[in-house]
Structure formats: structure tokens, C-alpha cells
Amino acid sequence: MAMSGLVSNRNFATSFIASGNVYRSGKDLSLQRGGISGVSHFSRCQPRMHFQTNSPLEETVSGQTLSFCSEAGEHCSSVSRQSARRMNFKLKAGRRSQSYISSAPYGRGNIEQRAACGLGLSKRNHIKENKIRVFYKSEEYDITEANMDSLPSAEGTGEAILLGGNLQQVSPWWQQFPKRWVIVLLCFAAFLLCNMDRVNMSIAILPMSQEFNWNSATVGLIQSSFFWGYLLTQILGGIWADKLGGKLVLGFGVVWWSIATILTPIAARLGLPFLLVMRAFMGIGEGVAMPAMNNLLSKWIPVSERSRSLAFVYSGMYLGSVTGLAFSPILIQKFGWPSVFYSFGSLGSIWFALWLKKAYSSPTEDPDVAPEEKRLILGGSISKEAVTVIPWKLILSKPPVWALIISHFCHNWGTFILLTWMPTYYNQVLKFNLTESGLLCVLPWLTMAVFANIGGWIADTLVSKGLSITNVRKIMQTIGFLGPAIFLTQLSHVRTPALAVLCMACSQGSDAFSQSGLYSNHQDIGPRYAGVLLGLSNTAGVLAGVFGTAATGFILQRGSWNDVFKVAVVLYIIGTLVWNIFSTGEKVLD
């Protein structure tokens, strides 16, 4: 009969199981006929750690080998191959202690102990008379539970693993969560707030224009004023992030735009010039967000996780649009349009407190990163040397860089038109009221959040299957261009609001594949200058937002929404051609 022993906070059977408690007993162990009796001194052990013998247990034990094994069957350490009539064992475990096992033939009054596999041993000259009997279940005997005293651990629910005779501390699951994904989650939250604070104006502009008697051209001017400041800090934000670190720059950006959001109602009541300046100030803060985030992820995320991590962070922007468009109408109806800016802007302070506590610019600066994770990041990501000089001539001489710039312009023209003018389209063309306009705007952005993550997983999977990064980026961005172009052309043919909303949702859903296309390409072609490259290409994207948003207002005064969509479709086609001819997924800047 094979013998195995379990110690848990409930019984004494085949493995050591603990959940942060220290189990102790003060009696000795000795082998009895018909069962093993005794007690050991021990504290926490790793769950599912087995202590077993691989020979039959009879009155006389022969050829016995004691070993530790995991539940998966992995052999840890052999203890003794001595024959024995009687066996005494003693197991000690603690937060930083070593584990001890002694096993040897037992005569009448003494025990000889031998070291096994690097485990420390102590010698004992006598065996104390047994006081407690612990029975192990076999075909002939029943189980009698051993009562174990549970002592609370000072460390909470920490556990330990016995490896090669050493006891290693295992942190709770929330401390084992990969630190690189903590950074990704915080960047996701920053982008969530970024678009919440940005799109609230697209809803609030409707009651504001009625209160202040603004026409379409004025509304377009107000919407585009955000991009004045946004344009100024794209390249500067990339330079600051590459030189000073992404943590400092992104933290500054969130605080800056949150304050500007809170001050927007005050500026609007002071007059149009003050409102234009405040929206530009808000753009200054949000302008550093994307370059700083790109810098952070280039240092924290290995290539094998690049597409999905970027897609997840950018999906925060889409969910920010969803949240802003869903809650803005409710807040406006109950508390008035200023409440949107006060409530959304105040959320930045909560994020900033977490950012200061948890974020670092690179894994080399973070003392809490596990050694295994640090090796993964540093081995599978980019060189982490600080950037001191930006090689502008070299950067601007590369065709893939210009492919990024032109494609970003073409992409953002259509994206920012939908971002800023969609509620107005629903209200004026589809005749939805304010609440319906806000709620229906949620669907396309929610679709983008979902498909951005789907696209990220598809892209990383294709790369892992051996498809070149160049082909993956081209495939994903082609979907991101042609998908919106196809669905926007259908808007002039639909006859019902439901179909119009569906076309918008499909357009935005296919647009989200761009996160695994051009938005991931900055780290591919020049990982050391990822912040600068994104700042450079996004400058072109911001110009598209400035011109596109303002031009839409003037087009609507003289034309129709069909004209607005036709311009966007033409630019999508141009972007597709440029991207597939000149882009690459290979590193061209080092």
C-alpha cells in the first residue's frame, strides 16, 4: 500500500495546504504498528505539495524513498533510500526558513540522521515517547483527523513554495498580477478620462449654442479650438516623454486637462474668446497623452504583446466616448450643462493619486517588478537607453515615416468628424432629441472598443504564427481604411434612423483595426523614438482634426452631410494606397 500524507487547515492527509495560517503542534512522531503517530512543528507550505513514499508501508519498511512532489507530478527532492523498521520525520517550514526531513533506521533508543538533497538536518539522540497517534487511511484502517491549532499569520494570506530545499514566499494574487499590465490598465484609465472630457462638449454644445446663440460656423470654431492646443504639444510631448520619462509627462497631461475641463463653464460665461482659449488649454494637456503612453508601452511591453496592449489602451478612448456620450445627456437634463464639465474634470484627481503610487517610466525604475517579468520585458522589448538627441534628419528621410504621417492625416479626418459632429448629425438629420442623440452615439464607440481588442488579438496571433509584422500591419490598416469608406458611402442610401446608426457602428468598428495597424507601427520602425514618432504623425492627425472639424461646419452651411462623408471617403482611399506602398513593420531607426 502506498503511503502519502496531507496536512491542511482541516486534516492530515496527502499534501500541505495553507491559506496564510501557521499550523503547529508540539508532540513528537513515531511509527506504530497499524498506523503512524506523532506530531510535527511546521508553518505555511505551498498548496498541493505532496509528501509521500513510493514503497509499501508494512510492519517492516524496505527500500523506502521519501520525496516531495507537486500535484502535477513534478519531482522536487529525494530524501532517503534507507531501509527502516521505524521512521521518524520532522518537517519545518516558515516564511524564510529551510525545510528539514530526517529519516533513518530506528533501533531501540537512538536515531541516525542523514542529509538529503541539500536539505539541512539536525541530529537527535533520543526519541521522546509518543503521546499522540495520527492514523493514515488504508485498506485496513480508518482516518482519525488530527486537530491542528491555526495561528493567524502576520503576513495575511501569503504562501510559500518549497523549491530545492528553500522556502520561497508567494505573494497574494493581486501582487502577482504582471506589473506591465498595471501600467497598461492605468494608461487605459487615462485615455478613458481623455475622451470623456473631450466628447462632453459635443453633447453640451447643443444647449450651449441655444443659450449663447451660436451658429454652425461658431460651433465648428469652438470644436476645432481644442485642436489648437492639441497640435502644439504633440511633438513636444514626444520629446519630453523620450527624454524625461512617460510617467511625468502623462501625469502632467491628465492634471492639466482636468483643470481646464472644470474651468470650461466659467470661460463660456465670460465670453467666446475665453472659451476658445480654455478649450485650447485643454488640448495642450491631452496632446501629450498619446506620445507619453507610446513611450511607456515601448519600454514596458514586449513585441509579442504589442498589438493587444495598444488596442486595449486605445479602447479606453472609445469607452471614454461611450461613457461621456451616455452620461452627459443625463447630467445636462438633471443639473444643467455645466455639471458635465465639473463632474468629469474632477475624476482626474483620483487617477493621478493612483498614478503617483503605482506607475514608473520603465521596469528598470520599478522596485516591485518580479525578476522573471523584468527578464521577459527587457529580453523581448527594446533597448532602454535614454534618448539624448533626436535625429530629425534621419527620421524625416525614411519613407515609412512619411507613410505614417500621411496615413494618420487621412485616418483622423474621418475619425474626428464622427467624434465631434455625430450628435449633431443624429439631432439635425435623424431628428433624435438630445438624450437619444447621446445614447445612440454610444453604439459606434462601443463597437470600436470591442473590435479594437479583437483586432489586437488577431494581429498578435498572426505574428506568433509566423506572418511578417509588415504584412500584419498592412492587413489591419487596410481594414481600418476601407471599412469606414464602404459604410460611410451607404449613409446617403439608407432611409431609416436604425440603418444609419448601424452604418455608423460598422464604420467605427472597422476603423478600430487601425490600432493594430498604423498606431502600432511607431514602435515597429523606431522603438527608441516611439514617443517622437507618434507625436510627429499625430501632429498630422491633429491638423486633420482642426481642418476637418472646422471645414465640416462650413460645408454644412453650403452643402449637405453627403458632401461631408464624400470628402472623408476620398481621404480613406488615399491613405490605403500610401500605406500599402510605403509602410513597413521592420525597424528602420535605431
Side-chain angles (χ1 to χ4, degrees):
M1 176 191 83
M3 184 277 285
S4 62
L6 162 67
V7 177
S8 74
N9 55 348
R10 296 187 304 273
N11 55 23
F12 194 174
T14 346
S15 64
F16 288 81
I17 300 178
S19 58
N21 293 324
V22 179
Y23 298 95
R24 293 179 179 171
S25 178
K27 308 291 191 303
D28 288 332
L29 278 167
S30 64
L31 193 65
Q32 300 285 338
R33 180 181 178 87
I36 295 177
S37 63
V39 177
S40 60
H41 301 264
F42 44 95
S43 58
R44 288 192 303 266
C45 269
Q46 167 68 10
R48 303 176 187 83
M49 185 71 72
H50 292 266
F51 166 81
Q52 65 181 28
T53 64
N54 55 13
S55 68
L57 180 65
E58 299 173 354
E59 182 175 350
T60 300
V61 183
S62 62
Q64 179 171 295
T65 300
L66 229 70
S67 64
F68 275 120
C69 297
S70 67
E71 195 169 69
E74 180 183 356
H75 184 78
C76 297
S77 61
S78 178
V79 177
S80 174
R81 302 183 183 277
Q82 297 276 348
S83 298
R85 274 185 77 87
R86 306 273 187 212
M87 179 187 70
N88 178 59
F89 69 91
K90 181 176 183 181
L91 180 67
K92 290 185 178 180
R95 172 176 169 81
R96 303 217 27 119
S97 67
Q98 307 240 338
S99 292
Y100 298 84
I101 296 175
S102 60
S103 176
Y106 168 72
R108 292 183 177 271
N110 58 62
I111 181 169
E112 179 182 355
Q113 300 182 344
R114 299 182 184 274
C117 296
L119 298 177
L121 295 176
S122 61
K123 292 186 178 181
R124 299 184 57 172
N125 295 324
H126 68 278
I127 300 270
K128 194 174 180 179
E129 183 181 354
N130 173 63
K131 298 297 184 183
I132 288 183
R133 178 170 297 175
V134 179
F135 296 97
Y136 288 79
K137 185 175 177 61
S138 69
E139 295 177 355
E140 301 176 348
Y141 303 102
D142 295 327
I143 291 178
T144 300
E145 264 194 354
N147 294 325
M148 313 294 292
D149 293 331
S150 176
L151 301 178
S153 168
E155 297 290 331
T157 59
E159 296 173 347
I161 299 178
L162 185 65
L163 293 174
N166 295 321
L167 203 62
Q168 299 182 358
Q169 186 70 17
V170 177
S171 303
W173 67 266
W174 59 87
Q175 295 180 11
Q176 298 182 51
F177 189 77
K179 191 60 188 288
R180 64 189 183 279
W181 283 96
V182 172
I183 301 297
V184 170
L185 284 171
L186 287 170
C187 289
F188 168 88
F191 277 53
L192 182 81
L193 296 176
C194 178
N195 264 33
M196 283 177 63
D197 293 341
R198 186 188 302 182
V199 305
N200 56 14
M201 178 59 84
S202 64
I203 297 293
I205 198 71
L206 298 174
M208 291 173 72
S209 61
Q210 293 176 357
E211 180 177 337
F212 299 110
N213 297 316
W214 294 331
N215 57 30
S216 296
T218 303
V219 169
L221 184 64
I222 294 170
Q223 297 279 42
S224 65
S225 63
F226 166 86
F227 297 105
W228 302 346
Y230 196 68
L231 177 64
L232 290 176
T233 52
Q234 289 299 310
I235 297 176
L236 285 176
I239 295 173
W240 293 339
D242 287 344
K243 290 188 174 182
L244 304 177
K247 176 182 178 178
L248 177 64
V249 177
L250 184 56
F252 158 79
V254 174
V255 171
W256 184 279
W257 87 58
S258 296
I259 294 173
T261 300
I262 293 172
L263 295 177
T264 296
I266 300 172
R269 298 193 187 282
L270 290 175
L272 181 61
F274 293 95
L275 178 60
L276 295 177
V277 171
M278 191 56 61
R279 292 296 291 175
F281 275 9
M282 181 180 174
I284 288 174
E286 294 202 2
V288 304
M290 289 178 64
M293 178 277 300
N294 218 39
N295 172 274
L296 280 164
L297 295 195
S298 72
K299 290 178 169 57
W300 276 96
I301 304 298
V303 175
S304 60
E305 299 175 356
R306 179 173 296 165
S307 294
R308 77 190 77 165
S309 62
L310 281 167
F312 181 72
V313 171
Y314 282 117
S315 70
M317 297 181 68
Y318 308 143
L319 289 176
S321 297
V322 169
T323 306
L325 294 171
F327 285 96
S328 292
I330 299 173
L331 290 171
I332 290 172
Q333 286 190 339
K334 288 188 175 181
F335 307 106
W337 62 263
S339 64
V340 174
F341 300 98
Y342 297 143
S343 57
F344 287 6
S346 62
L347 295 175
S349 60
I350 300 174
W351 178 91
F352 187 64
L354 291 173
W355 184 249
L356 288 178
K357 183 177 181 181
K358 297 292 185 181
Y360 290 88
S361 291
S362 72
T364 56
E365 300 176 14
D366 191 341
D368 297 326
V369 179
E372 295 81 5
E373 183 178 12
K374 186 175 291 187
R375 283 194 296 270
L376 171 66
I377 295 170
L378 298 180
S381 190
I382 68 166
S383 175
K384 301 302 183 296
E385 293 86 354
V387 173
T388 56
V389 178
I390 307 298
W392 290 109
K393 185 176 180 180
L394 177 64
I395 290 173
L396 296 176
S397 68
K398 301 295 183 180
V401 174
W402 285 103
L404 269 174
I405 294 170
I406 295 171
S407 298
H408 211 142
F409 180 92
C410 296
H411 173 267
N412 276 27
W413 183 284
T415 299
F416 280 120
I417 287 174
L418 294 178
L419 176 68
T420 55
W421 283 96
M422 192 185 302
T424 305
Y425 172 79
Y426 285 155
N427 180 255
Q428 294 180 355
V429 178
L430 304 182
K431 306 303 180 183
F432 295 143
N433 60 35
L434 177 64
T435 302
E436 290 172 335
S437 296
L439 293 177
L440 286 172
C441 286
V442 165
L443 182 59
W445 296 111
L446 188 60
T447 305
M448 290 187 79
V450 173
F451 278 91
N453 287 285
I454 292 175
W457 283 96
I458 291 173
D460 281 345
T461 300
L462 290 175
V463 171
S464 67
K465 296 292 185 181
L467 193 62
S468 71
I469 296 176
T470 297
N471 288 332
V472 170
R473 300 294 179 238
K474 289 184 176 182
I475 291 170
M476 304 306 284
Q477 189 55 50
T478 299
I479 297 173
F481 276 142
L482 295 184
I486 292 171
F487 288 109
L488 286 180
T489 57
Q490 301 305 310
L491 281 173
S492 60
H493 304 295
V494 299
R495 295 291 180 267
T496 64
L499 287 177
V501 172
L502 180 62
C503 282
M504 284 285 194
C506 293
S507 173
Q508 296 295 80
S510 54
D511 178 278
F513 281 78
S514 299
Q515 310 311 327
S516 302
L518 74 88
Y519 282 95
S520 296
N521 196 232
H522 308 85
Q523 296 181 34
D524 296 329
I525 66 174
R528 286 196 69 207
Y529 308 103
V532 170
L533 285 173
L534 192 137
L536 189 62
S537 73
N538 206 37
T539 297
V542 173
L543 288 173
V546 172
F547 296 139
T549 303
T552 299
F554 289 102
I555 291 172
L556 289 176
Q557 283 188 321
R558 296 168 178 80
S560 66
W561 279 97
N562 287 339
D563 298 325
V564 172
F565 296 142
K566 285 177 183 177
V567 174
V569 169
V570 170
L571 289 173
Y572 279 138
I573 294 173
I574 293 173
T576 303
L577 294 174
V578 171
W579 183 256
N580 281 279
I581 293 172
F582 297 106
S583 69
T584 181
E586 305 302 320
K587 184 188 294 185
V588 298
L589 297 169
D590 198 2

